[in-house]
Amino acid sequence: MRKALGIILFAFMAAVSCRQPGSVELFVPGDAGPFAFSLDLSDTTATYDFDFYTRLDGRHRDLLSDTEMPLTVTWTAPSGALYVETVYVPLSGSNETFYSRQVRTPYRAGVVPSEAGTWQLRAALPVSVPGLRGLGLVIKRNAWDTEN
């Protein structure tokens, strides 16, 4: 009896630990870009949410001068098709101290990729942003939970 319970418990733990994480955070350090991310969007039953995040360091008065950060975002599909857009990341209303500012802002929500597979996302800065530490991307996978 005790051996059977041990086997069942081991099988349960193995099944739970093999789940794909619900979200992934990627960060590319640097102050000028381009910032490149490789995204596994192969789950055809899921939608995806994307947030950009960054941190700016500098004196308080220098941080107040920038209100938004333009990004030229290029998506490359697994087939090689390109999609390009310019977005503006607001730098106000964030977690701020006297010498730094942390920013996290939604980029896209409920995305259903036109192709399943590994996509490339490249974000370029057309202007210099003082104090930029790098650019991060949060990918949240919204999948149907089969256990509900």
Side-chain angles (χ1 to χ4, degrees):
M1 174 70 175
R2 193 170 215 158
K3 187 176 182 181
L5 183 60
I7 292 172
I8 291 171
L9 183 60
F10 176 77
F12 174 74
M13 294 300 288
V16 170
S17 66
C18 292
R19 285 186 175 196
Q20 187 174 9
S23 69
V24 174
E25 294 184 20
L26 307 171
F27 186 79
V28 178
D31 61 355
F35 305 98
F37 305 95
S38 183
L39 314 174
D40 178 10
L41 307 181
S42 56
D43 187 348
T44 59
T45 64
T47 63
Y48 299 89
D49 299 341
F50 302 96
D51 293 354
F52 282 122
Y53 68 95
T54 191
R55 181 175 176 168
L56 304 166
D57 289 330
R59 293 181 303 200
H60 187 66
R61 68 171 182 229
D62 295 336
L63 294 176
L64 291 175
S65 62
D66 293 319
T67 58
E68 61 187 15
M69 178 175 65
L71 290 174
T72 302
V73 180
T74 304
W75 288 84
T76 305
S79 66
L82 295 176
Y83 304 92
V84 181
E85 66 180 332
T86 299
V87 297
Y88 296 87
V89 175
L91 298 177
S92 59
S94 58
N95 186 6
E96 190 173 327
T97 67
F98 193 76
Y99 289 104
S100 72
R101 178 185 297 167
Q102 296 179 26
V103 177
R104 180 172 173 170
T105 187
Y107 167 50
R108 295 271 173 245
V111 173
V112 178
S114 58
E115 299 176 34
T118 301
W119 286 68
Q120 304 301 316
L121 184 144
R122 179 183 160 114
L125 280 167
V127 299
S128 176
V129 178
L132 185 68
R133 295 293 284 298
L135 185 69
L137 184 69
V138 179
I139 305 109
K140 182 178 177 216
R141 186 175 146 271
N142 305 304
W144 174 253
D145 188 354
T146 58
E147 295 175 3
N148 285 339

